[in-house]
Amino acid sequence: MNKDEIIAKEDLYSVGGFKKRQVAIVKGKDALLWDSEGNEYIDCVGGQGVANIGHCNENVISAVTEQIKKLIICPNLFYNDSRAMLLEKLVKISGLKRAFLCNSGTEAVEAAIKFARISTGKKEIIAAMKSFHGRTFGALSATWKKEYREPFEPLVPGFNHVPFNNMEELEKTVTDNTAAILLEVVQGEGGVNIGSREYFSQVRELCDEKNILLIIDEVQTGFGRTGKMFAHEHYGIKPDILCLAKSIAAGIPMGAVVCNEKINVPPGAHATTFGGYPFSCAAALASIEFIEKQELCNRSKELGEYFINELKRIESNKIREIRGIGLMIGVELKEKPVPYLHALMDKGVLALPAGLTVLRYLPPLVITKEQIDIVVEKTREVLQ
Ligand SMILES: *Cc1c(COP(=O)(O)O)cnc(C)c1O
């Protein structure tokens, strides 16, 4: 099928709901993508945060191939070797105690909310303005954006939103019925807004003092994206519940909730059919091992600093601020980013919007310095 046929078919038969770009992506390798016409792109969309180890990683391909030849289906009625190994790995790399496996970010947040309510017996959840936690009802109730929420009301009761990085407002919102505070340490969709160290250490103290669970949503920031395996490591704090997904299994759909001993989930309280299926576990194990062996966290930190410094050398009166942590980078403009995203695409660079005015770059952590130089050069050209 050529580009026009692919686009026409998707538009005709899909229920819609996605804002799509007029391109059909058909092939990928590491930090590169190709469209149906053979055009090459440097990928700074990174599957919207899914492609930390790059496209079509060989180790993941062989791990998944081996697993699907052996066993595809294994419900949680039974034990499984790949699942057992992944659970251990997630607990070890997070320093937490136990994990629950599901299939997406929103499901991880959904489970976290249920775990918080059942473990504390309390009902209320406090989340942040500009947050994004997913699209199912519980996660959507924690998500900030009005356009995502209002058409679907009534949402789940018991949710409040407070300004991010503002301790005073948070303290005022806490009640005896607060079960959990749910935060991203770096808000991704909200505009690459970086939490302050002081704020997060105070949030941690408040939670300890008032017996409130701290849920950190690292669906986007996990697995080396910010220069550490998990972004909360930059802050010297630990969550009680950690939500993971996106890059966990190199693109095979998977989510996870990792928690400490404060979380108790009685048998039958929560479950999922596909969660912890052997091939997603095999993919996740191979992907995490690749991140560790290739030291992608350090690479993300170093290349991220290089990328940000190079972007800062762009002279353009369209730029308000450049900020980032590791390879999670936002260029805040004085206007909407969409026309610039299209201009970048025409020049062979794929990037994302965030917030209202931010150009966001989430390249695979295996991107090369030379590729970053090209991305910066194309960004300079479009912002001139
Ligand atoms: C993408 C995202 C989610 C939702 O994940 P899905 O897999 O799309 O359901 C939740 N939280 C954060 C921080 C995200 O970036």
Side-chain angles (χ1 to χ4, degrees):
M1 279 194 288
N2 69 27
K3 172 181 157 180
D4 293 339
E5 290 165 341
I6 299 170
I7 291 174
K9 237 189 237 305
E10 271 206 40
D11 282 347
L12 183 61
Y13 293 115
S14 153
V15 79
F18 295 98
K19 289 182 193 149
K20 285 179 186 281
R21 303 181 195 177
Q22 296 300 302
V23 61
I25 300 294
V26 296
K27 199 173 99 172
K29 185 69 196 158
D30 301 333
L32 294 176
L33 288 171
W34 288 270
D35 69 16
S36 52
E37 317 298 285
N39 298 309
E40 184 178 288
Y41 301 89
I42 301 176
D43 179 22
C44 292
V45 166
Q48 295 182 305
V50 173
N52 284 13
I53 68 165
H55 295 278
C56 294
N57 177 278
E58 296 296 337
N59 301 42
V60 173
I61 293 172
S62 14
V64 171
T65 310
E66 222 171 277
Q67 180 64 58
I68 59 179
K69 282 186 191 159
K70 201 165 78 177
L71 182 68
I72 296 180
I73 297 162
C74 181
N76 282 289
L77 274 175
F78 308 116
Y79 293 86
N80 174 263
D81 52 349
S82 295
R83 187 192 298 139
M85 285 194 293
L86 178 64
L87 287 166
E88 178 185 40
K89 189 80 186 173
L90 289 174
V91 164
K92 290 221 160 123
I93 61 174
S94 64
L96 294 167
K97 284 272 160 15
R98 286 180 301 205
F100 168 79
L101 301 172
C102 52
N103 314 287
S104 65
T106 199
E107 276 177 76
V109 173
E110 213 66 39
I113 293 166
K114 288 178 76 179
F115 292 178
R117 281 189 172 174
I118 202 167
S119 302
T120 60
K122 298 187 276 185
K123 304 290 179 213
E124 292 169 11
I125 310 282
I126 302 174
M129 292 174 181
K130 299 191 181 171
S131 63
F132 183 83
H133 298 292
R135 306 284 202 144
T136 52
F137 272 101
L140 182 62
S141 306
T143 289
W144 168 245
K145 211 171 168 184
K146 205 170 78 204
E147 294 82 348
Y148 295 168
R149 299 157 47 87
E150 281 184 351
F152 300 101
E153 289 174 349
L155 301 177
V156 178
F159 285 77
N160 276 300
H161 289 90
V162 294
F164 190 50
N165 276 338
N166 183 327
M167 204 52 208
E168 211 176 300
E169 290 297 321
L170 179 61
E171 273 169 349
K172 273 197 260 173
T173 310
V174 163
T175 73
D176 291 342
N177 201 16
T178 304
I181 296 170
L182 164 56
L183 296 168
E184 299 154 90
V185 285
V186 183
Q187 294 182 324
E189 303 299 314
V192 191
N193 307 317
I194 303 171
S196 85
R197 208 182 146 89
E198 195 193 1
Y199 177 66
F200 274 95
S201 68
Q202 288 176 348
V203 172
R204 183 64 270 181
E205 269 173 37
L206 177 70
C207 287
D208 290 340
E209 198 183 298
K210 307 255 170 164
N211 253 322
I212 296 166
L213 296 171
L214 176 57
I215 307 173
I216 300 279
D217 178 349
E218 293 227 30
V219 167
Q220 187 161 145
T221 50
F223 299 100
R225 171 55 56 197
T226 69
K228 301 260 189 204
M229 186 60 89
F230 301 114
H232 69 263
E233 295 168 30
H234 291 288
Y235 293 79
I237 56 152
K238 269 204 182 330
D240 300 301
I241 302 179
L242 176 64
C243 297
L244 303 172
K246 291 211 164 105
S247 268
I248 188 170
I252 305 294
M254 174 174 249
V257 179
V258 199
C259 21
N260 66 16
E261 63 290 336
K262 293 182 202 165
I263 285 43
N264 265 307
V265 187
H270 190 59
T272 156
T273 296
F274 286 125
Y277 255 39
F279 74 97
S280 10
C281 293
L285 268 172
S287 178
I288 296 166
E289 277 166 16
F290 187 83
I291 292 171
E292 290 178 329
K293 282 213 181 94
Q294 300 296 318
E295 297 186 23
L296 290 189
C297 298
N298 284 337
R299 187 183 171 94
S300 167
K301 177 176 181 291
E302 282 161 23
L303 287 181
E305 281 165 9
Y306 176 75
F307 199 156
I308 292 168
N309 283 334
E310 291 299 301
L311 283 169
K312 283 187 172 161
R313 291 172 48 197
I314 295 177
E315 286 172 24
S316 163
N317 56 15
K318 300 194 171 96
I319 299 176
R320 192 185 300 278
E321 190 190 37
I322 295 169
R323 53 180 181 263
I325 177 164
L327 281 167
M328 181 167 187
I329 296 169
V331 175
E332 175 145 14
L333 304 177
K334 294 176 186 162
E335 54 195 301
K336 295 204 164 146
V338 172
Y340 301 103
L341 292 171
H342 289 292
L344 276 173
M345 189 170 96
D346 291 340
K347 290 175 181 287
V349 171
L350 301 174
L352 281 164
L356 288 175
T357 53
V358 178
L359 271 178
R360 180 173 39 145
Y361 301 82
L362 297 175
L365 312 182
V366 296
I367 191 171
T368 64
K369 226 173 175 168
E370 293 69 31
Q371 289 167 333
I372 291 175
D373 288 339
I374 296 171
V375 172
V376 172
E377 190 45 44
K378 300 299 172 193
T379 304
R380 177 181 286 115
E381 286 171 25
V382 305
L383 291 178
Q384 219 93 82

PDB file of all heavy atoms in Angstrom, residues 104-106 132-134 184 217 219-220 246, ligand 1:
ATOM      1  N   SER A 104      -0.532  -1.406  30.361  1.00  0.00           N
ATOM      2  CA  SER A 104      -0.405  -0.037  29.863  1.00  0.00           C
ATOM      3  C   SER A 104      -0.205   0.908  31.042  1.00  0.00           C
ATOM      4  O   SER A 104      -0.338   0.500  32.209  1.00  0.00           O
ATOM      5  CB  SER A 104      -1.671   0.372  29.108  1.00  0.00           C
ATOM      6  OG  SER A 104      -2.762   0.410  30.011  1.00  0.00           O
ATOM      7  N   GLY A 105       0.073   2.169  30.706  1.00  0.00           N
ATOM      8  CA  GLY A 105       0.284   3.166  31.744  1.00  0.00           C
ATOM      9  C   GLY A 105      -0.979   3.471  32.519  1.00  0.00           C
ATOM     10  O   GLY A 105      -0.972   3.552  33.751  1.00  0.00           O
ATOM     11  N   THR A 106      -2.061   3.637  31.797  1.00  0.00           N
ATOM     12  CA  THR A 106      -3.299   3.995  32.483  1.00  0.00           C
ATOM     13  C   THR A 106      -3.726   2.870  33.431  1.00  0.00           C
ATOM     14  O   THR A 106      -4.219   3.115  34.528  1.00  0.00           O
ATOM     15  CB  THR A 106      -4.394   4.371  31.455  1.00  0.00           C
ATOM     16  OG1 THR A 106      -5.413   5.110  32.120  1.00  0.00           O
ATOM     17  CG2 THR A 106      -5.011   3.162  30.769  1.00  0.00           C
ATOM     18  N   PHE A 132      -0.531  14.377  33.701  1.00  0.00           N
ATOM     19  CA  PHE A 132      -1.168  13.411  32.800  1.00  0.00           C
ATOM     20  C   PHE A 132      -0.957  12.008  33.362  1.00  0.00           C
ATOM     21  O   PHE A 132       0.170  11.602  33.615  1.00  0.00           O
ATOM     22  CB  PHE A 132      -0.598  13.485  31.379  1.00  0.00           C
ATOM     23  CG  PHE A 132      -1.318  12.532  30.450  1.00  0.00           C
ATOM     24  CD1 PHE A 132      -2.519  12.889  29.864  1.00  0.00           C
ATOM     25  CD2 PHE A 132      -0.808  11.253  30.213  1.00  0.00           C
ATOM     26  CE1 PHE A 132      -3.208  11.997  29.040  1.00  0.00           C
ATOM     27  CE2 PHE A 132      -1.495  10.357  29.386  1.00  0.00           C
ATOM     28  CZ  PHE A 132      -2.693  10.732  28.801  1.00  0.00           C
ATOM     29  N   HIS A 133      -2.061  11.264  33.566  1.00  0.00           N
ATOM     30  CA  HIS A 133      -1.938   9.924  34.135  1.00  0.00           C
ATOM     31  C   HIS A 133      -2.663   8.864  33.324  1.00  0.00           C
ATOM     32  O   HIS A 133      -2.646   7.694  33.706  1.00  0.00           O
ATOM     33  CB  HIS A 133      -2.440   9.921  35.577  1.00  0.00           C
ATOM     34  CG  HIS A 133      -1.648  10.819  36.481  1.00  0.00           C
ATOM     35  ND1 HIS A 133      -0.335  10.552  36.810  1.00  0.00           N
ATOM     36  CD2 HIS A 133      -1.962  11.989  37.102  1.00  0.00           C
ATOM     37  CE1 HIS A 133       0.118  11.522  37.617  1.00  0.00           C
ATOM     38  NE2 HIS A 133      -0.847  12.406  37.796  1.00  0.00           N
ATOM     39  N   GLY A 134      -3.337   9.253  32.238  1.00  0.00           N
ATOM     40  CA  GLY A 134      -3.993   8.242  31.426  1.00  0.00           C
ATOM     41  C   GLY A 134      -5.451   8.577  31.171  1.00  0.00           C
ATOM     42  O   GLY A 134      -5.962   9.602  31.606  1.00  0.00           O
ATOM     43  N   GLU A 184       3.847  13.061  38.988  1.00  0.00           N
ATOM     44  CA  GLU A 184       5.007  12.785  38.140  1.00  0.00           C
ATOM     45  C   GLU A 184       6.150  13.628  38.705  1.00  0.00           C
ATOM     46  O   GLU A 184       5.895  14.761  39.113  1.00  0.00           O
ATOM     47  CB  GLU A 184       4.754  13.253  36.703  1.00  0.00           C
ATOM     48  CG  GLU A 184       3.588  12.590  35.992  1.00  0.00           C
ATOM     49  CD  GLU A 184       3.019  13.497  34.891  1.00  0.00           C
ATOM     50  OE1 GLU A 184       3.484  13.419  33.751  1.00  0.00           O
ATOM     51  OE2 GLU A 184       2.094  14.283  35.191  1.00  0.00           O
ATOM     52  N   ASP A 217       4.260   8.541  39.370  1.00  0.00           N
ATOM     53  CA  ASP A 217       3.962   8.049  38.024  1.00  0.00           C
ATOM     54  C   ASP A 217       5.184   8.268  37.135  1.00  0.00           C
ATOM     55  O   ASP A 217       5.468   9.392  36.720  1.00  0.00           O
ATOM     56  CB  ASP A 217       2.735   8.792  37.475  1.00  0.00           C
ATOM     57  CG  ASP A 217       2.376   8.362  36.047  1.00  0.00           C
ATOM     58  OD1 ASP A 217       3.192   7.661  35.410  1.00  0.00           O
ATOM     59  OD2 ASP A 217       1.294   8.743  35.586  1.00  0.00           O
ATOM     60  N   VAL A 219       5.633   6.535  34.266  1.00  0.00           N
ATOM     61  CA  VAL A 219       5.301   5.884  33.002  1.00  0.00           C
ATOM     62  C   VAL A 219       6.163   6.468  31.877  1.00  0.00           C
ATOM     63  O   VAL A 219       6.646   5.743  31.009  1.00  0.00           O
ATOM     64  CB  VAL A 219       3.793   6.029  32.706  1.00  0.00           C
ATOM     65  CG1 VAL A 219       3.465   5.642  31.274  1.00  0.00           C
ATOM     66  CG2 VAL A 219       2.989   5.169  33.682  1.00  0.00           C
ATOM     67  N   GLN A 220       6.382   7.783  31.907  1.00  0.00           N
ATOM     68  CA  GLN A 220       7.186   8.429  30.856  1.00  0.00           C
ATOM     69  C   GLN A 220       8.656   8.610  31.242  1.00  0.00           C
ATOM     70  O   GLN A 220       9.536   8.600  30.393  1.00  0.00           O
ATOM     71  CB  GLN A 220       6.569   9.796  30.512  1.00  0.00           C
ATOM     72  CG  GLN A 220       7.227  10.467  29.340  1.00  0.00           C
ATOM     73  CD  GLN A 220       6.372  11.558  28.708  1.00  0.00           C
ATOM     74  OE1 GLN A 220       6.889  12.555  28.255  1.00  0.00           O
ATOM     75  NE2 GLN A 220       5.063  11.385  28.667  1.00  0.00           N
ATOM     76  N   LYS A 246       5.178   2.429  29.259  1.00  0.00           N
ATOM     77  CA  LYS A 246       5.903   2.935  28.076  1.00  0.00           C
ATOM     78  C   LYS A 246       7.175   2.139  27.747  1.00  0.00           C
ATOM     79  O   LYS A 246       7.087   1.138  27.077  1.00  0.00           O
ATOM     80  CB  LYS A 246       6.165   4.430  28.237  1.00  0.00           C
ATOM     81  CG  LYS A 246       4.844   5.220  28.159  1.00  0.00           C
ATOM     82  CD  LYS A 246       4.963   6.611  27.595  1.00  0.00           C
ATOM     83  CE  LYS A 246       3.596   7.140  27.210  1.00  0.00           C
ATOM     84  NZ  LYS A 246       3.045   8.129  28.112  1.00  0.00           N
TER      85      LYS A 246
HETATM   86  C1  LIG B   1       1.589   8.022  28.717  1.00  0.00           C
HETATM   87  C2  LIG B   1       1.391   8.236  30.164  1.00  0.00           C
HETATM   88  C3  LIG B   1       0.385   7.552  30.875  1.00  0.00           C
HETATM   89  C4  LIG B   1      -0.632   6.649  30.184  1.00  0.00           C
HETATM   90  O1  LIG B   1      -0.049   5.541  29.611  1.00  0.00           O
HETATM   91  P1  LIG B   1      -0.893   4.710  28.486  1.00  0.00           P
HETATM   92  O2  LIG B   1      -0.032   3.497  28.247  1.00  0.00           O
HETATM   93  O3  LIG B   1      -1.043   5.589  27.310  1.00  0.00           O
HETATM   94  O4  LIG B   1      -2.182   4.341  29.103  1.00  0.00           O
HETATM   95  C5  LIG B   1       0.302   7.733  32.240  1.00  0.00           C
HETATM   96  N1  LIG B   1       1.169   8.538  32.887  1.00  0.00           N
HETATM   97  C6  LIG B   1       2.150   9.214  32.245  1.00  0.00           C
HETATM   98  C7  LIG B   1       3.080  10.077  33.020  1.00  0.00           C
HETATM   99  C8  LIG B   1       2.292   9.094  30.867  1.00  0.00           C
HETATM  100  O5  LIG B   1       3.234   9.786  30.228  1.00  0.00           O
END
